[in-house]
């Protein structure tokens, strides 16, 4: 298969900085859309993968799965999109389309393993996929999303992962009017979780380790804020929440958050720390609590979430950076020093 050479930013090894490189992408096939990338959000998963914290990173690695851009060209069998349209790509670029989960429209749970936007198997070129820290991407139209025209494009980019990863579990566990939901960890995912849960009609409780985020959490939509480092506040809020969405990227004591759940309440992990998180039997047993997990969201859910955000005018709070600042941005992300998502202005790659 023919390829095109594309400028990108990626890394050659777990301890290496990201730097400019050229990668090969497949030429646009009949069902593909070629997108000029305008903006790409910086997810903590990019950092976990670039540094091989989840193991299994294939190098060179080009991260980025919060992609917004404009379509440069489309293959001859593409029907839903055309050159010049705005388009977005999230965490997946393909799946088997035949298994039970794919047939149910839950490609994120594809039984054969979906094709992730980066660090997955690229069947056409027989090597790893490369993500959105690049000038251009080629994706099957079935995995390309439409972006509502009224949204700021840079601030919409984080919806493609942080948005749908919080939307999907909030919907699955029926968060809305009459539910009290706790959002733990107010980073890229968490701050989107607060905005979405509030717009869904829930009573939203932010649980943060950062005293500097207490004020801001109310602006994002929190009805209540708990500083989790204050044992008294945590104790006073035991058994109060129907659902907790845990968006924490680092090691933490999940038992402290499980204790905030009512009888039959569920804590769903979306945060994916490097090491296992011990759960005490008595955090679950006495209140019949559930400990669960959730991964990204389907293509249909992603479009549904984007349309909802268009209607309610919801985007991420972002800090726009140049691609050359990415290594510094990773260091700041580790310190929680971003309100609340870095987004790369991909025009900087052409400099
Ligand atoms: P992020 O922006 O770095 O936010 C993580 C937040 O976790 C921080 O802002 C901080 O919030 C909190 N935190 C950090 N260290 C903590 C600690 N030791 N104890 C308690 N809280 C701590 O990261 P992100 O991009 O939102 O991603 C969050 C996690 O979700 C990552 O592990 C990422 O890989 C994962 N993820 C999973 C999926 C999925 O499909 N399940 C999708 C995307 C991302 P406070 O300051 O408020 O405490
Ligand atoms: Zn992500
Ligand atoms: Zn499948």
């Amino acid at each position: 298969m023919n390829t095109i050479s594309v400028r990108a930013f990626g890394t050659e090894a777990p301890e290496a900085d990201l730097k400019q490189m050229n990668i090969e992408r497949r030429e646009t096939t009949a069902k593909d859309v070629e997108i000029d990338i305008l903006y790409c959000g910086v997810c903590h998963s990019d950092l976990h993968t670039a540094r091989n914290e989840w193991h299994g990173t294939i190098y060179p690695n080009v991260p980025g799965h919060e992609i917004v851009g404009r379509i440069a060209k489309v293959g001859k069998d593409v029907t839903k999109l055309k050159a010049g349209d705005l388009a977005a790509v999230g965490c997946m670029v393909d799946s088997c389309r035949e298994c039970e989960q794919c047939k149910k429209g839950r490609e994120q749970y594809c039984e054969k393993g979906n094709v992730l936007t980066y660090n997955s198997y690229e069947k056409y070129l027989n090597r790893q996929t490369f993500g959105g820290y690049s000038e251009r991407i080629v994706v099957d139209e079935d995995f390309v999303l439409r972006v509502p025209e009224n949204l700021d494009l840079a601030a919409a980019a984080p919806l493609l992962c942080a948005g749908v990863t919080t939307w999907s579990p909030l919907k699955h566990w029926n968060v809305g009017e009459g539910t009290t939901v706790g959002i733990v960890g107010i980073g890229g995912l968490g701050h989107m979780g607060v905005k979405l849960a509030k717009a869904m009609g829930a009573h939203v409780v932010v649980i943060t380790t950062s005293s500097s985020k207490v004020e801001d959490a109310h602006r994002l939509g929190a009805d209540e804020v708990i500083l989790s480092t204050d044992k008294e506040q945590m104790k006073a809020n035991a058994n109060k929440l129907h659902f907790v969405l845990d968006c924490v990227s680092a090691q933490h004591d999940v038992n402290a958050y499980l204790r905030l759940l009512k009888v039959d309440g569920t804590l769903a992990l979306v945060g994916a720390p490097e090491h296992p998180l011990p759960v005490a039997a008595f955090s679950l047993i006495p209140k019949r609590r559930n400990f669960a997990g959730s991964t990204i969201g389907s293509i249909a859910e992603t479009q549904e979430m984007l349309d909802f955000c268009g209607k309610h005018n919801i985007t991420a709070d972002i800090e726009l950076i140049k691609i050359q600042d990415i290594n510094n941005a990773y260091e700041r992300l580790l310190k929680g020093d971003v309100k609340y998502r870095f987004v790369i202005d991909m025009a900087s790659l052409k400099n």
Side-chain angles (χ1 to χ4, degrees):
M1 160 161 289
N2 291 333
T3 58
I4 53 170
S5 181
V6 172
R7 259 180 297 204
F9 238 74
T11 177
E12 308 265 11
E15 21 346 276
D17 274 353
L18 277 74
K19 60 170 192 189
Q20 189 156 335
M21 55 176 64
N22 284 318
I23 53 166
E24 301 290 312
R25 297 204 187 270
R26 66 176 183 264
E27 267 199 351
T28 310
T29 70
K31 279 270 284 160
D32 280 334
V33 171
E34 187 176 314
I35 302 167
D36 285 335
I37 301 174
L38 297 169
Y39 300 104
C40 185
V42 179
C43 179
H44 208 114
S45 302
D46 300 353
L47 188 157
H48 288 305
T49 307
R51 298 188 177 178
N52 199 24
E53 288 175 5
W54 293 333
H55 315 289
T57 302
I58 311 157
Y59 294 94
N61 169 253
V62 173
H65 57 203
E66 294 184 335
I67 300 166
V68 169
R70 201 169 282 285
I71 298 179
K73 67 174 175 188
V74 300
K76 68 176 172 48
D77 296 339
V78 169
T79 54
K80 288 184 288 192
L81 301 150
K82 59 179 190 321
D85 286 353
L86 286 175
V89 178
C91 304
M92 287 179 292
V93 288
D94 209 346
S95 71
C96 88
R97 303 166 192 233
E98 288 168 355
C99 73
E100 185 187 337
Q101 297 305 322
C102 282
K103 282 192 174 139
K104 283 182 174 160
R106 299 182 190 155
E107 312 82 10
Q108 75 274 36
Y109 298 110
C110 174
E111 288 162 13
K112 294 192 183 148
N114 48 33
V115 183
L116 297 173
T117 305
Y118 59 82
N119 201 45
S120 237
Y121 179 66
E122 218 282 15
K123 65 184 176 196
Y124 295 88
L125 301 178
N126 193 25
R127 52 114 183 97
Q128 74 272 39
T129 52
F130 294 120
Y133 296 4
S134 61
E135 56 185 337
R136 202 162 302 143
I137 192 163
V138 177
V139 181
D140 186 302
E141 72 164 333
D142 294 342
F143 285 77
V144 177
L145 290 309
R146 292 180 311 278
V147 188
E149 297 277 342
N150 59 313
L151 297 181
D152 178 87
L153 291 184
L159 300 178
L160 276 300
C161 174
V164 73
T165 302
T166 50
W167 170 268
S168 179
L170 290 172
K171 292 291 264 193
H172 181 75
W173 277 281
N174 299 314
V175 168
E177 296 273 343
T179 48
T180 302
V181 56
I183 309 284
V184 186
I186 308 306
L189 267 60
H191 96 293
M192 284 313 310
V194 174
K195 291 187 187 204
L196 292 171
K198 187 68 189 170
M200 288 171 180
H203 183 84
V204 181
V205 181
V206 155
I207 304 141
T208 179
T209 60
S210 306
S211 51
S212 66
K213 294 180 188 170
V214 170
E215 275 290 299
D216 220 23
H218 289 289
R219 179 184 61 79
L220 294 172
D223 297 288
E224 297 177 54
V225 184
I226 303 171
L227 190 60
S228 54
T229 50
D230 181 340
K231 285 206 169 78
E232 287 309 311
Q233 282 190 42
M234 291 293 276
K235 218 166 146 187
N237 284 283
N239 312 319
K240 286 201 172 165
L241 308 177
H242 293 102
F243 180 69
V244 169
L245 190 63
D246 182 332
C247 307
V248 176
S249 54
Q251 288 321 110
H252 61 293
D253 179 15
V254 285
N255 301 287
Y257 306 106
L258 282 165
R259 286 194 286 269
L260 302 177
L261 289 170
K262 286 175 180 286
V263 171
D264 283 337
T266 297
L267 182 148
L269 279 181
V270 286
E274 183 178 359
H275 302 293
L277 301 169
V279 177
F282 288 100
S283 299
L284 301 175
I285 291 172
K287 305 275 176 202
R288 200 166 58 188
R289 294 175 177 127
N290 305 287
F291 184 49
S294 180
T295 195
I296 52 175
S298 68
I299 293 299
E301 280 176 306
T302 310
Q303 193 61 60
E304 182 189 32
M305 175 274 312
L306 285 166
D307 295 343
F308 179 91
C309 289
K311 191 167 158 215
H312 295 267
N313 211 10
I314 296 173
T315 53
D317 288 21
I318 65 158
E319 183 178 333
L320 199 61
I321 60 166
K322 294 191 175 113
I323 188 75
Q324 293 79 8
D325 295 331
I326 189 67
N327 294 302
N328 183 41
Y330 277 12
E331 291 313 311
R332 286 183 51 198
L333 187 62
L334 279 175
K335 289 189 218 136
D337 176 23
V338 52
K339 287 192 169 155
Y340 285 91
R341 195 57 134 190
F342 290 115
V343 171
I344 306 162
D345 181 353
M346 216 45 78
S348 58
L349 188 55
K350 297 181 176 71
N351 294 338

